[in-house]
Amino acid sequence: MQRIAVIAGDGIGTEVTAQALRALDTVRDRFDLDLEVEELDYGAERYLRDGTTLPKGEIERFRNDFAAIYLGALGDPRVPDMQHGREILLALRFELDLYINFRPVKCLADQFCPLKAKTHDAIDFKVFRENTEGIYVGVGGNFKKGTADEIAINEDINTRKGVERIIRAAFAYAQKNNLGRVTMSDKSNAMRYAHDLWQRVFKEVAQDYPTIEANHFYVDALAMALLRSPEQFEVIVTNNLFGDIVTDLAAELQGGMGMAASANINPDGLCLFEPVHGSAPDIAGMDKANPLAAILTMGMLLEHLEHREASRAIENAVMQTLHAGHLSEDLGGHTGTSQMGDAIVERLSA
Ligand code: NAD
Ligand code: IPM
Ligand code: MN
């Protein structure tokens, strides 16, 4: 028996997770998988009600009792500082040491490709985003807060160990999947200390993979190249903040935030799966959210748990649903969130 902890979260997180869970139920029955889901109410509503973000001991319980964690999205206008988001999502990333934020970027059909004169097959690469350090660690502080002399500091933490393990993960992935190129992106022309470390470690690790081309883009040039010639990218490895920004841009190359799936991985431990998008307060509660990113993310979770047939079935159902013309608003259609889910379930049960 494998148990999956599900935190649907806030806003459209609850709507898209409901559809991902329907897909999971359907493949569980079809392939006779021994899976059990525990739904947890962590998120803004609970936080506002009783102050709970993640209860003490919960991460330990996750480690002991679960095979994977699934998260919809967090973020609520009533919690403007996103305190609960940091104490749930970032805490899970840091405390479970989920150092690989693996974000596949693939455009599934020409009609979703926003680039003039490019076809969907130009967009097919993987981003390895460092997920446990950088500017996200919350080291810093204020001095003279609220005065004209205020100082605000967020330290950018880059460790030799942290930089090396994400770069190694990117190369190892490329090798295992017969990919020819790993691109590292930093801003070492401006950030001399931290990104000089990235430069040195990248060159060093690349030597262990002589058959893989190791190339480099400053992150500003990477943003440009992703629009101009995305076909050159196979694996991109970068730091936490740049990876966050680059993967929203990359999501748009796939057809939008509603199509982008991701996994937070520790190769030796419990992993967390979540779509790249947030809680989308602008469309929350309207049955407009595209659930495909969430459903594809469930497919990644199943693949991770070695239910390959089920994972393949989900990918195929997504392709068939799109080809049959079931398109949510973000994809240019009028199909609602739950109707998109209906179309997926119909194909999964066939
Ligand atoms: P967002 O990703 O929620 O939304 C950005 C835009 O994309 C919006 O216009 C939204 O309507 C659209 N969009 C996103 N997902 C979509 C979907 N599935 N279908 C159709 N359209 C979709 O980013 P934001 O507006 O900057 O953030 C909203 C909240 O979510 C914030 O509180 C933010 O901190 C949080 N957030 C959480 C996560 C997470 O939990 N993993 C990720 C990103 C943002
Ligand atoms: C993401 C999100 C998070 C991040 C936020 C909600 C802290 O944008 O997963 O991409 O910046 O990592
Ligand atoms: Mn993001």
Side-chain angles (χ1 to χ4, degrees), residues 120-133:
H120 73 280
D121 47 352
I123 294 147
D124 186 5
F125 58 90
K126 310 286 189 288
V127 178
F128 280 71
R129 166 189 177 189
E130 203 295 318
N131 211 30
T132 50
E133 336 194 303

Side-chain angles (χ1 to χ4, degrees), residues 74-75 82 85-86 89-90 93 101 103 129 131 136 240-241 243-245 247-248 257 262 264 274-278:
L74 295 167
M82 192 60 167
R86 283 191 306 282
L89 177 59
L90 296 189
R93 287 179 183 168
N101 196 326
R103 298 188 156 181
R129 166 189 177 189
N131 211 30
Y136 276 70
N240 206 339
L241 179 65
D244 179 45
I245 298 167
T247 52
D248 264 31
M257 297 303 291
S262 88
N264 297 256
E274 48 164 352
V276 174
H277 66 72

Side-chain angles (χ1 to χ4, degrees), residues 12 16 71-76 82 89 93 257-258 274-283 288-291 330:
I12 66 163
V16 298
L71 186 139
L74 295 167
D76 187 300
M82 192 60 167
L89 177 59
R93 287 179 183 168
M257 297 303 291
E274 48 164 352
V276 174
H277 66 72
S279 58
D282 54 337
I283 55 165
K288 279 187 182 173
N290 179 352
D330 55 317

Side-chain angles (χ1 to χ4, degrees), residues 19-274:
Q19 303 313 317
L21 286 175
R22 288 178 68 200
L24 178 68
D25 266 349
T26 314
V27 293
R28 175 169 57 187
D29 291 349
R30 175 164 156 202
F31 298 104
D32 202 18
L33 308 179
D34 196 10
L35 296 173
E36 188 184 276
V37 165
E38 181 175 326
E39 292 189 61
L40 298 155
D41 68 352
Y42 306 136
E45 206 59 59
R46 173 80 185 268
Y47 173 61
L48 290 168
R49 189 168 71 241
D50 67 9
T52 303
T53 51
L54 262 190
K56 206 166 161 9
E58 190 65 339
I59 294 185
E60 208 38 47
R61 188 175 77 95
F62 285 170
R63 250 198 215 105
N64 294 332
D65 293 356
F66 291 91
I69 307 172
Y70 183 94
L71 186 139
L74 295 167
D76 187 300
R78 296 169 299 169
V79 189
D81 66 356
M82 192 60 167
Q83 167 101 0
H84 70 305
R86 283 191 306 282
E87 291 185 12
I88 300 171
L89 177 59
L90 296 189
L92 286 167
R93 287 179 183 168
F94 294 157
E95 289 185 37
L96 294 172
D97 205 20
L98 304 172
Y99 65 89
I100 303 166
N101 196 326
F102 176 71
R103 298 188 156 181
V105 180
K106 187 171 174 145
C107 184
L108 298 180
D110 291 350
Q111 70 195 102
F112 308 131
C113 176
L115 302 178
K116 186 171 66 177
K118 298 280 180 202
T119 50
H120 73 280
D121 47 352
I123 294 147
D124 186 5
F125 58 90
K126 310 286 189 288
V127 178
F128 280 71
R129 166 189 177 189
E130 203 295 318
N131 211 30
T132 50
E133 336 194 303
I135 214 142
Y136 276 70
V137 296
V139 173
N142 292 91
F143 182 50
K144 299 187 180 176
K145 188 170 179 180
T147 74
D149 296 322
E150 175 163 354
I151 297 171
I153 296 173
N154 273 93
E155 296 285 4
D156 182 17
I157 307 296
N158 295 260
T159 69
R160 165 81 206 196
K161 172 182 145 191
V163 173
E164 182 170 341
R165 66 185 182 174
I166 188 68
I167 291 175
R168 281 202 183 278
F171 275 102
Y173 178 89
Q175 186 167 60
K176 190 166 170 214
N177 292 280
N178 296 316
L179 298 171
R181 180 178 298 141
V182 173
T183 301
M184 191 274 277
S185 188
D186 65 18
K187 192 68 189 161
S188 49
N189 49 356
M191 297 174 63
R192 279 311 299 152
Y193 308 115
H195 290 184
D196 176 60
L197 175 64
W198 279 79
Q199 286 284 327
R200 281 181 285 121
V201 174
F202 184 62
K203 290 192 182 105
E204 201 179 299
V205 173
Q207 287 183 354
D208 294 340
Y209 295 89
T211 59
I212 298 174
E213 182 191 334
N215 75 353
H216 171 260
F217 277 76
Y218 296 122
V219 72
D220 48 354
L222 177 68
M224 176 213 70
L226 281 168
L227 298 188
R228 183 177 284 274
S229 48
E231 60 279 356
Q232 69 185 293
F233 297 108
E234 298 183 36
V235 176
I236 295 173
V237 58
T238 190
N239 66 60
N240 206 339
L241 179 65
F242 294 172
D244 179 45
I245 298 167
V246 159
T247 52
D248 264 31
L249 191 159
E252 231 23 68
L253 296 176
Q254 291 173 266
M257 297 303 291
M259 299 301 290
S262 88
N264 297 256
I265 304 281
N266 177 326
D268 304 314
L270 180 65
C271 299
L272 181 153
F273 298 79
E274 48 164 352

